[in-house]
Amino acid sequence: MDESNYDDILKRRQQRRQEERNRRRRKVMFLYILIFAGVFAAAVLLFGFFKGRNASGPGGQGDSVVSWGSGSQAEREELPGTSSKDGADSKAGGNDNTGDRNEAGDNNENKNGDQTSVWSRILAWLKQLFTRKDKGLSFEQNPGALSDQPGNSGDGSENGAGGAGQSGADADSVNSSGADADGNNPIFGLPGADLNTSEGRLADLLYRADRMAAGYDYDGAIALLQENDEFSGHADAAAAVSSYEAAKATLVEQDISQIPHVFFHSIIMDTAKAFDGDSDSKGYNQVMTTKSELDKILNEMYRRGYVLVRLHDMAQEVTDENGNVRMAKGTILLPPGKKPFVMSQDDVCYYPYMEGDGFASRIVIGEDGMPTCEMVLDDGSTAVGNYDLVPILEAFIQEHPDFSYKGARAVLAFTGYEGILGYRTAASYKDSNPDYEADRQKAVQVAQRLRECGWELASHSWGHRYLGQIDLDSFRTDTNKWEAEVESLIGPTDIILYPFGDDISDWHPYSMDNERYAYLHEMGFRYFCNVDASQTWVQLGDDYLRQGRLNLDGYRMWQDIAAAQEGGSGKRRLDGLFRAEDVFDPARPTPVEWN
């Protein structure tokens, strides 16, 4: 045997040994898979057993289709068309796929012993085991507010524009009824609906569809009903679909160039503290709005037919057939007489200088899962409630869903030098704030929830700088710090609201020759808002949307009130929205002068 033959023999032996080892590994893996499958099946059965018990209480039944023999017939759930009495027989109507009579004994099993029925029950039970939402189980934090709020729902709810470019926290996962991607939301479903009964589920489904339709998301409401496996053929669902289609046919496309944009700062909750004559009082009087004024403004604008829309509803980036990305006009459809507008709030940071002056102290997630506010009371205790724009507007839209287009909320803009949302998250607090990391984590959670609820998040620069006036190096440094300290917490955003309304150009269209615009565009910004009280101003470029904003604060309202007085401007800016005299808070010191 020569050396080459010997090498070949060795190679074949090694190959056979390797094949044998592989066969053994496959056998072992197959054995492990069998063991895992058995353990998993046992866990599923135990989970279903205990879940069924928890869903209906002692002796109850947690499944709406399958009965496993515990509890009386009265405690079991029925589909439309069935009837039950305690201790009596239950005739199978729509509840029995086989058409056989089911006796209401302890087991409710089919008397003909049909094995197919048994297996169908098992499969139905397994399906519902992983789709049913029971009390006592934690609800999904993904649902939100509220929006067609973009992203199609698996239940057919259409989602609209609320989160272009927002990849950090999925603002597009919610729809206008406040539902998640499945059209289900334990917060905004029908209050008191018993989802363990078919009647309760139907009522909840119709309620959520009506909420979506009330927000002009007729496509989403229709899809929600038509794609529901349980009730898509129900007469009530069909009637609702017909009414939505009729209403949709009356909608009118809106001219985005005529959409106004109004904005606020933090809302004054206690005028006695805000207007107490200290060094901050004049500033509060000039640029902030009181709770009383905000309530009246919302009610009057609602009465006049205004409907809140998103910046992303006005225009979105699209890719054409050649692969080129450009900004395209959005399509906003509203009933005749309705008027779209955008709303924003600056400096949602709750700066330390505001402490003790009658403002909220931070935004938190309430016990109901919704964003709300904390406020420090005189005795040092903390109360949770509607103490700023976010919860106030949220409550108003829940009462008036037709005030919001497909679940739209306002734009919230953050600086970074003192942190965001009332949490001291700025890098300068890393050594002095013992709760620094906890604050950062809480800020992330609140920002995520705000996005889910339809709020658009924006930059207001890091240091509240005059971005059109500072030198280019300072401009870039500020933008980079905002990205590092704020965007890292709230997720990517494509909106910037200029501090002081200080734009980076005059009224001429932006171009890449403008180094500041080129840098902001490179950083991902596509929506740019200045301040312009003289008119409704919208500029749609090839790669951006630009809009002027109107301040609804003490100074602006006083300018309208004093317009006809001696020394007044003679111009009233707010009459298209409301009469300043009708909302102006008498607790304000007057005249409201600009320093």
Side-chain angles (χ1 to χ4, degrees):
M1 178 184 298
D2 60 25
E3 188 173 75
S4 62
N5 290 337
Y6 181 75
D7 289 340
D8 290 340
I9 291 172
L10 286 179
K11 289 179 181 178
R12 287 196 295 271
R13 285 179 180 175
Q14 291 172 351
Q15 183 177 2
R16 285 196 297 271
R17 288 172 184 170
Q18 184 62 42
E19 289 173 352
E20 181 63 25
R21 283 195 293 267
N22 291 340
R23 282 194 294 271
R24 290 175 181 174
R25 289 194 186 101
R26 287 194 292 270
K27 289 180 180 179
V28 172
M29 289 300 298
F30 181 73
L31 180 61
Y32 284 162
I33 290 171
L34 287 178
I35 294 172
F36 175 79
V39 172
F40 179 77
V44 168
L45 292 173
L46 287 173
F47 176 62
F49 172 74
F50 287 110
K51 188 175 181 184
R53 292 183 62 185
N54 291 337
S56 298
Q61 185 63 33
D63 190 89
S64 63
V65 174
V66 184
S67 176
W68 292 99
S70 62
S72 69
Q73 181 68 19
E75 292 173 319
R76 297 178 184 138
E77 300 164 8
E78 303 166 22
L79 293 176
T82 66
S83 63
S84 67
K85 297 180 182 179
D86 290 344
D89 289 350
S90 176
K91 303 292 183 179
N95 193 26
D96 187 4
N97 292 331
T98 66
D100 296 322
R101 175 180 296 182
N102 289 339
E103 300 294 329
D106 287 340
N107 295 320
N108 197 32
E109 293 182 354
N110 191 306
K111 290 298 183 178
N112 66 5
D114 189 338
Q115 295 300 314
T116 302
S117 178
V118 173
W119 282 109
S120 66
R121 290 182 179 190
I122 292 173
L123 292 174
W125 174 75
L126 288 173
K127 178 181 178 181
Q128 293 197 15
L129 178 62
F130 294 102
T131 58
R132 189 175 59 234
K133 292 179 173 60
D134 296 330
K135 294 181 180 179
L137 299 178
S138 59
F139 64 80
E140 304 168 16
Q141 287 295 330
N142 162 353
L146 309 168
S147 178
D148 173 6
Q149 285 171 321
N152 271 345
S153 75
D155 224 300
S157 58
E158 176 184 312
N159 287 328
Q166 300 177 358
S167 61
D170 186 7
D172 299 344
S173 64
V174 287
N175 61 43
S176 60
S177 67
D180 61 17
D182 294 323
N184 298 309
N185 192 315
I187 299 173
F188 295 111
L190 178 63
D194 183 0
L195 300 184
N196 290 321
T197 67
S198 59
E199 292 84 356
R201 290 192 298 276
L202 175 60
D204 179 73
L205 177 68
L206 293 171
Y207 176 84
R208 289 185 286 114
D210 278 344
R211 294 283 298 189
M212 296 177 73
Y216 316 104
D217 186 6
Y218 297 108
D219 288 337
I222 291 169
L224 181 67
L225 295 176
Q226 290 183 336
E227 297 183 17
N228 182 276
D229 293 337
E230 187 176 10
F231 300 113
S232 59
H234 196 280
D236 290 347
V241 168
S242 296
S243 68
Y244 300 154
E245 290 175 339
K248 179 184 174 182
T250 68
L251 300 181
V252 178
E253 184 172 355
Q254 304 298 306
D255 181 358
I256 69 165
S257 69
Q258 299 303 308
I259 296 178
H261 185 155
V262 302
F263 78 98
F264 304 92
H265 288 89
S266 295
I267 303 303
I268 299 171
M269 300 302 298
D270 189 333
T271 56
K273 293 180 179 178
F275 305 140
D276 59 0
D278 66 10
S279 59
D280 293 319
S281 293
K282 286 187 177 181
Y284 297 151
N285 199 21
Q286 293 166 8
V287 303
M288 294 185 178
T289 309
T290 72
K291 169 65 162 55
S292 170
E293 291 166 344
L294 177 61
D295 288 341
K296 292 175 181 177
I297 289 171
L298 292 177
N299 278 286
E300 181 60 17
M301 291 186 68
Y302 176 71
R303 189 188 70 81
R304 295 190 183 195
Y306 280 96
V307 177
L308 183 60
V309 301
R310 305 175 192 81
L311 280 171
H312 289 85
D313 291 326
M314 296 178 61
Q316 308 91 30
E317 281 192 323
V318 299
T319 303
D320 63 23
E321 62 277 3
N322 299 318
N324 300 315
V325 178
R326 62 180 180 83
M327 190 67 75
K329 180 181 74 69
T331 300
I332 300 174
L333 300 173
L334 289 172
K338 295 293 186 179
K339 297 172 285 189
F341 80 106
V342 176
M343 180 189 295
S344 57
Q345 184 180 28
D346 290 357
D347 299 292
V348 188
C349 301
Y350 306 100
Y351 301 118
Y353 79 85
M354 298 165 62
E355 294 175 4
D357 283 346
F359 297 93
S361 57
R362 64 174 56 178
I363 297 180
V364 298
I365 300 175
E367 292 182 357
D368 61 355
M370 295 301 295
T372 186
C373 287
E374 284 185 351
M375 186 172 182
V376 179
L377 305 181
D378 290 340
D379 60 4
S381 62
T382 301
V384 176
N386 296 351
Y387 300 132
D388 200 6
L389 177 68
V390 166
I392 292 172
L393 181 60
E394 194 66 64
F396 189 84
I397 291 174
Q398 291 313 308
E399 183 178 356
H400 307 287
D402 52 332
F403 189 63
S404 167
Y405 180 71
K406 296 186 177 182
R409 299 297 189 268
V411 182
L412 305 177
F414 309 104
T415 59
Y417 67 96
E418 291 283 7
I420 63 171
L421 297 162
Y423 301 94
R424 298 297 153 248
T425 59
S428 58
Y429 282 92
K430 187 172 184 179
D431 296 329
S432 60
N433 178 10
D435 300 320
Y436 180 72
E437 290 301 332
D439 274 5
R440 286 174 57 83
Q441 185 58 40
K442 289 177 182 176
V444 168
Q445 293 169 353
V446 173
Q448 167 85 8
R449 194 67 182 119
L450 287 165
R451 283 188 185 273
E452 292 168 347
C453 291
W455 300 83
E456 295 182 294
L457 309 184
S459 170
H460 201 46
S461 83
W462 181 85
H464 207 279
R465 307 294 302 275
Y466 284 91
L467 295 182
Q469 302 180 38
I470 59 177
D471 64 80
L472 187 58
D473 286 342
S474 297
F475 175 89
R476 289 174 173 164
T477 297
D478 185 272
T479 304
N480 293 341
K481 291 181 74 172
W482 191 89
E483 180 185 45
E485 295 190 18
V486 182
E487 194 168 55
S488 62
L489 301 178
I490 69 172
T493 182
D494 50 9
I495 304 171
I496 183 166
L497 310 183
Y498 293 119
F500 311 105
D502 186 39
D503 207 326
I504 57 173
S505 177
D506 59 17
W507 60 270
H508 290 92
Y510 287 154
S511 73
M512 290 301 173
D513 294 335
N514 182 329
E515 290 183 284
R516 296 171 196 253
Y517 170 68
Y519 194 71
L520 290 175
H521 190 277
E522 179 185 343
M523 299 295 284
F525 294 104
R526 300 293 184 271
Y527 299 82
F528 304 84
C529 298
N530 52 38
V531 175
D532 186 350
S534 64
Q535 57 185 327
T536 297
W537 186 75
V538 176
Q539 185 180 85
L540 180 62
D542 290 337
D543 51 5
Y544 68 88
L545 177 76
R546 198 173 172 197
Q547 188 178 32
R549 300 190 298 155
L550 176 62
N551 49 312
L552 303 185
D553 51 28
Y555 179 76
R556 178 54 52 206
M557 287 187 284
W558 180 254
Q559 289 296 298
D560 262 32
I561 293 172
Q565 298 177 8
E566 184 177 352
S569 65
K571 298 178 181 179
R572 295 178 63 92
R573 315 287 192 187
L574 306 177
D575 283 349
L577 306 172
F578 55 85
R579 289 184 72 254
E581 293 87 345
D582 296 337
V583 305
F584 192 81
D585 196 325
R588 282 187 179 278
T590 56
V592 183
E593 298 175 339
W594 191 261
N595 292 336

